[in-house]
Amino acid sequence: MDAEPFAAGTFQASSPADGTPRTLSLGALELETGGRLPQVQLAFQTWGRLDAQGSNAVLVLHALTGDAHVADGPEDSDGWWRDLVGPGRVIDTERFFVVAPAALGGCAGTTGPASPAPDGRPWGSRFPFVTLRDMASAEHALLGHLGIEAWHTVIGGSMGGARALEWAASYPERVRRCAVLASCAASTAEQIALSQIQVEAIRLDPAFDGGDYYEREDSGPVRGLGLARRLAHLSYRSEAELGQRFGREAQGEETPLGSADRERRGRYAVESYLDHQASKLVGRFDANAYLSITEALMSHDVGRGRGGVAAALGGLEGIEFLIAAVDSDRLYLPEQSEEIVAALPGEVSVDYIRSPIGHDGFLTSAATQLEPPLRRLLG
Amino acid sequence: MDAEPFAAGTFQASSPADGTPRTLSLGALELETGGRLPQVQLAFQTWGRLDAQGSNAVLVLHALTGDAHVADGPEDSDGWWRDLVGPGRVIDTERFFVVAPAALGGCAGTTGPASPAPDGRPWGSRFPFVTLRDMASAEHALLGHLGIEAWHTVIGGSMGGARALEWAASYPERVRRCAVLASCAASTAEQIALSQIQVEAIRLDPAFDGGDYYEREDSGPVRGLGLARRLAHLSYRSEAELGQRFGREAQGEETPLGSADRERRGRYAVESYLDHQASKLVGRFDANAYLSITEALMSHDVGRGRGGVAAALGGLEGIEFLIAAVDSDRLYLPEQSEEIVAALPGEVSVDYIRSPIGHDGFLTSAATQLEPPLRRLLG
C-alpha cells in the first residue's frame, strides 16, 4: 500500500511561509501510561509573526482526523478552519501568531503508528498507547522552540477542544485564554461505546493484520476504517439533517429495494453518502492512527489524577474561558459543555452555535456564529 | 459451525400446548421484489383457544431478533413479552387466542437464509431479498389454517410495529385493531444509515464468506454479527442510561487506560456491556438472517406503491389503532409515531411510555404503561 501520506514529515525550514509544513524533533517522550517513544517528530504549521513580547501566539488544536493545516497555505486555500483563521478573520493572522501542531499518534506528520520505529520499520502494532495528555506534553516543546512565554489563546473543537482543556489543566501558567468548542471534560459511556465499535470495525478487517499491514500489496484495512468512519460521520450529523437531505431516496438510478438477488441490491442516497464519506477518509488517513487517536479520546478525562473534573477545572482561575456547543450536537452533548462551565471558576456561560446539522456545526459556515464570543475572548 | 438453532422447525402437532413450536407449510411464495421461495415453512406458536366465531385471535409480531415465543411455554418462563401476554395479563391468554409467527428471512424456525434450498444446502448467499410485506404475505396463510376470519388485534413493537402496520395496509379487511409500538411508517435516512453500517460489519467479517459460511469449521461471522449488534444495541438504549449505569468505570480489575502495550488495554464497563450484548446475540442468531431482516427493515415504507404514507394510512377507516412511543427513543423517534397518527383517519393520538432507557422501553417493565391504552383498544 501507499504509505506516503502517513509518513512523518521531514521538511525543515528556518523561516517558512505561512501554512507550510515544519517539524520539530523532540527526542524521547515518556508517556502517561508508561510507554516511551525514543524519537518524536512534531509536525506543525504557523501563520503570522510572534510579537516582541512573545504574547500573541494562538495554539489551534485539530479534531480526530484533522491536521496542522488550519488556514490557507502559500499556494492553496485548503485550510480546514479558514472561515475563522486567516488574514482579517476573527483569529486574524495579521495580529496573531497562529501555531497548529498535528497530534501525536496520528498520521499528519507528527510521530504515529505509521512512523518508523528504531528498527526502521513502521511502529504498527508496537506503537504505544498515547493519551490527550501525551499530545499536550509533546506540544509543550513548541513554547521554548518558538520563544513563546505563554499562549495568548489555546483553541480547539471536538477532540481539539478536549486537547485545549488538557493544555489548560496541564500547563495553566502557559495558557492565558482557552476556547473549548463542541467538546467535553471527559468522554462519556456513550462516547466510549461509539469509539469501541469503531476500533472493533478496524480490527475486524482481515487486511488489518493485527496492525502490521504496511507491507501489504493491497490497500490495507480500508474497509474497516471506512466502516468506522461511517459510524463516526453519522454521529457528527443530526438525524434531521440526514432526513431532509436524503430521506428514502434511491441513489441515482440504483434500486435499493433490491431484486430477487439480494447481492445486487442498489443503494439509498444516504448509503452512497456514507460510502463517500468513508472513501474520502481512507484516502487520507491511516487505520492505526485512527485507532490510536480514538483510544486516546476514549481515555479523555481532564480530572484523571487531579481529583476529578471539578477539582481539575475549579482551580483554573488564571485562565479566561470560552465554552461553546452546537445546540443539535448528539455526540458532544450541550450538557457536556454546561458541565464544563459549572466546574470552572468565575462566571462562564456556554455560547451556542444554532445549527440543525449537529456536531459538525463547529466546522461549517455556522461556526461564524463564534465570531462575537471569540472577539470577546481574544480582546 | 453449529447450524442447529437456525434450522427451520419441523415439529408438527395437531393440538399443541400453549407456547410450543408449530410449523405451517405454505408451499411456494412469490416475493414482492420478484424473487420466489419454492417451499416456505412458517413457524409459529399459539396460546389460548379460538372462540366459536373465530373473533378473538391476536397476532403478535416480533422485532428484529425476536421470535415466536412471546409468552411462556408449558415448561418455561421465557416468553419475551410475558409482562404483557399470558394468563391474566393485559393480552389475556384466557380470553384471547394469541398467535405469534417467526418472521420470514429470520432464523427462528420460519424459512430463512439458513434453511435448506431445493438442493438441500442452506440458501446462504442465494436467499432472495424479502420485505416486511413478504413477511405479512407469508403470515396471511395463518388465517385460513387456524380458521380465523380477521384478527381481533395485530400488535407489535419496533420492527414488529412496522410489520403490524404492513398487515393493516395489506389486508385491512382482516385486521380489526392494530397496535404499533415504538415504530414508524417508513424507515428514515438515519435508520437506513444505521442499518447499512450493520450490514457492512457482517460482510466485513472474513468468516462471512460472502454468506456461504455454514460449512465452516469455526463459529462463522460472529465478530461481524457482534459488531452489528453493538451498534444496534446502542441505538436501543439512551445516552443518559448508559452514562448512569456505566459512566467511565473500568470493567472489574481491567485497566482501560492501557499500558505501554496498546494491545493489552483493558475495557471500560460499557465496553464489557456491549461485548456481552454481542456475545448473547451471536449465540442465538444467524448472520445471514440478521442481514436479510435488516435489509427488509431498510425497505420498510408502508406507502410504497400505495401513493405514499398518507394515502396508505388515510384509507384505513375500518381499523382501530393504538400508536405508542417511548419518549426517550432515539431509534424510532416519537415524531415518527406522531407522523403515523397524523396520517391515520379519525382521532388518534400517540400514547407515551415514559422511560429514560430509550427504545427498549417497550420491552422492559416500562411496557406495563401500555396496559391502560391496550385495555382501551382490546375492549
Side-chain angles (χ1 to χ4, degrees):
Chain A
M1 64 180 294
D2 180 10
E4 183 71 26
F6 314 139
T10 52
F11 179 89
Q12 295 269 10
S14 54
S15 180
D18 278 7
T20 55
R22 304 171 66 173
T23 308
L24 175 62
S25 293
L26 303 183
L29 189 70
E30 305 295 332
L31 302 170
E32 184 188 358
T33 64
R36 183 174 187 272
L37 283 165
Q39 185 56 256
V40 171
Q41 304 286 323
L42 183 70
F44 66 103
Q45 297 183 22
T46 66
W47 290 260
R49 292 187 157 273
L50 188 65
D51 63 20
Q53 298 76 36
S55 68
N56 70 330
V58 173
L59 182 68
V60 182
L61 300 170
H62 67 73
L64 189 69
T65 64
D67 58 32
H69 203 53
V70 170
D72 296 343
E75 290 170 4
D76 70 74
S77 53
D78 292 342
W80 57 262
W81 227 8
R82 66 193 302 268
D83 285 343
L84 295 186
V85 185
R89 307 288 184 181
V90 63
I91 301 175
D92 188 346
T93 50
E94 289 171 344
R95 176 183 166 204
F96 293 109
F97 178 54
V98 172
V99 181
L104 184 72
C107 56
T110 293
T111 297
S115 304
D119 65 2
R121 296 177 49 239
W123 281 100
S125 64
R126 302 171 297 167
F127 193 75
F129 187 90
V130 301
T131 65
L132 300 199
R133 217 165 276 186
D134 293 322
M135 294 177 192
S137 164
E139 293 149 10
H140 188 264
L142 287 168
L143 290 166
H145 178 67
L146 296 170
I148 297 163
E149 170 73 21
W151 300 110
H152 178 282
T153 300
V154 177
I155 180 171
S158 192
M159 188 186 83
R163 293 166 66 194
L165 212 53
E166 266 300 339
W167 249 100
S170 297
Y171 311 106
E173 74 289 359
R174 301 295 203 158
V175 178
R176 303 268 182 266
R177 296 165 195 81
C178 183
V180 179
L181 318 174
S183 192
C184 66
S187 297
T188 60
E190 162 101 347
Q191 289 162 335
I192 291 169
L194 283 166
S195 294
Q196 190 224 32
I197 294 170
Q198 294 175 55
V199 163
E200 170 68 4
I202 291 170
R203 294 190 191 279
L204 178 59
D205 191 321
F208 180 63
D209 283 349
D212 298 310
Y213 50 79
Y214 295 106
E215 286 162 27
R216 290 178 66 99
E217 305 268 309
D218 64 17
S219 50
V222 294
R223 280 187 71 188
L225 179 59
L227 183 53
R229 180 61 163 188
R230 280 179 176 83
L231 176 55
H233 190 78
L234 203 55
S235 73
Y236 300 155
R237 316 300 285 214
S238 70
E239 190 274 343
E241 193 221 5
L242 293 173
Q244 283 180 350
R245 282 178 69 178
F246 304 109
R248 295 186 47 78
E249 290 304 307
Q251 174 64 15
E253 300 298 309
E254 298 184 34
T255 53
L257 195 56
S259 61
D261 178 358
R262 202 180 63 204
E263 295 298 314
R264 284 200 315 246
R265 185 178 71 78
R267 296 172 301 170
Y268 295 94
V270 70
E271 291 185 272
S272 167
Y273 172 68
L274 289 186
D275 288 350
H276 176 66
Q277 297 299 330
S279 168
K280 274 202 305 185
L281 185 78
V282 302
R284 69 178 179 87
F285 216 84
D286 174 44
N288 273 324
Y290 196 93
L291 277 188
S292 174
I293 294 193
T294 298
E295 291 194 331
L297 195 48
M298 291 166 86
S299 81
H300 172 51
D301 179 2
V302 75
R304 181 174 62 248
R306 294 167 178 153
V309 167
L313 298 184
L316 302 178
E317 285 94 357
I319 304 174
E320 189 177 351
F321 281 92
L322 161 58
I323 310 296
V326 183
D327 59 356
S328 60
D329 195 332
R330 58 172 166 175
L331 179 59
Y332 288 86
L333 301 182
E335 297 93 288
Q336 295 184 278
S337 288
E338 297 289 350
E339 283 162 15
I340 296 174
V341 302
L344 287 172
E347 294 289 311
V348 190
S349 60
V350 176
D351 284 285
Y352 278 93
I353 298 173
R354 309 287 171 187
S355 164
I357 76 159
H359 181 64
D360 269 355
F362 86 93
L363 284 172
T364 65
S365 59
T368 55
Q369 294 176 42
L370 292 171
E371 288 175 5
L374 274 174
R375 277 204 194 87
R376 192 183 69 214
L377 180 76
L378 295 168
Chain B
M1 62 179 295
D2 180 10
E4 183 71 28
F6 315 139
T10 51
F11 179 88
Q12 294 269 10
S14 54
S15 180
D18 279 5
T20 55
R22 304 171 66 174
T23 306
L24 174 62
S25 293
L26 303 184
L29 189 71
E30 306 294 332
L31 302 170
E32 185 188 356
T33 63
R36 183 174 187 272
L37 284 165
Q39 184 58 254
V40 171
Q41 304 286 323
L42 184 70
F44 67 102
Q45 298 184 21
T46 66
W47 290 260
R49 292 187 158 275
L50 187 65
D51 62 19
Q53 299 76 37
S55 68
N56 70 332
V58 173
L59 181 69
V60 182
L61 299 170
H62 67 73
L64 189 70
T65 65
D67 57 33
H69 202 54
V70 170
D72 295 343
E75 292 170 3
D76 70 74
S77 53
D78 294 341
W80 58 261
W81 226 9
R82 66 193 303 267
D83 285 344
L84 295 186
V85 186
R89 308 289 185 181
V90 61
I91 300 175
D92 188 346
T93 50
E94 290 170 345
R95 177 183 166 204
F96 293 108
F97 178 54
V98 172
V99 181
L104 183 73
C107 56
T110 293
T111 297
S115 304
D119 64 2
R121 297 177 50 240
W123 281 99
S125 64
R126 303 170 297 167
F127 194 75
F129 187 91
V130 300
T131 65
L132 301 199
R133 218 165 277 187
D134 292 322
M135 295 178 191
S137 164
E139 292 149 10
H140 188 264
L142 288 168
L143 291 166
H145 177 68
L146 297 169
I148 297 163
E149 168 73 20
W151 300 109
H152 178 282
T153 300
V154 177
I155 180 171
S158 193
M159 188 186 83
R163 292 166 66 194
L165 212 51
E166 266 299 340
W167 250 99
S170 297
Y171 311 106
E173 74 288 359
R174 301 293 204 159
V175 178
R176 303 269 182 264
R177 295 165 195 79
C178 182
V180 179
L181 318 174
S183 193
C184 66
S187 297
T188 60
E190 162 101 347
Q191 290 162 335
I192 291 169
L194 284 167
S195 295
Q196 190 225 31
I197 293 169
Q198 295 175 55
V199 163
E200 171 68 5
I202 292 170
R203 294 190 190 279
L204 178 59
D205 191 322
F208 180 63
D209 284 347
D212 298 310
Y213 50 79
Y214 295 107
E215 286 162 28
R216 289 179 67 98
E217 305 268 310
D218 64 16
S219 50
V222 294
R223 281 187 70 189
L225 178 59
L227 183 54
R229 180 61 162 188
R230 282 179 174 82
L231 176 56
H233 190 79
L234 204 55
S235 74
Y236 301 155
R237 316 300 287 214
S238 70
E239 190 275 342
E241 192 221 6
L242 293 173
Q244 283 179 351
R245 283 179 68 178
F246 304 109
R248 295 186 47 77
E249 291 303 306
Q251 173 63 16
E253 300 298 309
E254 298 184 33
T255 53
L257 196 56
S259 62
D261 179 358
R262 202 179 62 204
E263 295 297 315
R264 284 198 317 245
R265 185 178 70 79
R267 296 172 303 169
Y268 296 93
V270 69
E271 292 185 271
S272 168
Y273 172 69
L274 289 187
D275 288 350
H276 176 66
Q277 297 299 329
S279 168
K280 274 203 306 186
L281 185 78
V282 303
R284 68 176 180 89
F285 216 85
D286 174 44
N288 273 325
Y290 196 93
L291 277 187
S292 174
I293 294 193
T294 298
E295 291 194 332
L297 196 47
M298 292 166 85
S299 82
H300 172 50
D301 178 2
V302 76
R304 181 175 60 248
R306 293 168 177 152
V309 167
L313 299 184
L316 302 178
E317 284 94 358
I319 305 173
E320 189 177 348
F321 281 92
L322 161 57
I323 310 296
V326 183
D327 59 355
S328 60
D329 196 331
R330 58 174 165 172
L331 180 58
Y332 288 86
L333 301 182
E335 296 94 287
Q336 294 185 278
S337 288
E338 296 289 351
E339 283 163 15
I340 296 174
V341 302
L344 287 172
E347 292 288 311
V348 191
S349 60
V350 176
D351 284 285
Y352 278 94
I353 298 173
R354 310 286 170 187
S355 163
I357 77 159
H359 181 64
D360 269 355
F362 86 95
L363 283 172
T364 66
S365 59
T368 55
Q369 294 176 42
L370 291 171
E371 288 175 4
L374 274 174
R375 279 205 192 85
R376 191 183 69 215
L377 180 75
L378 296 169

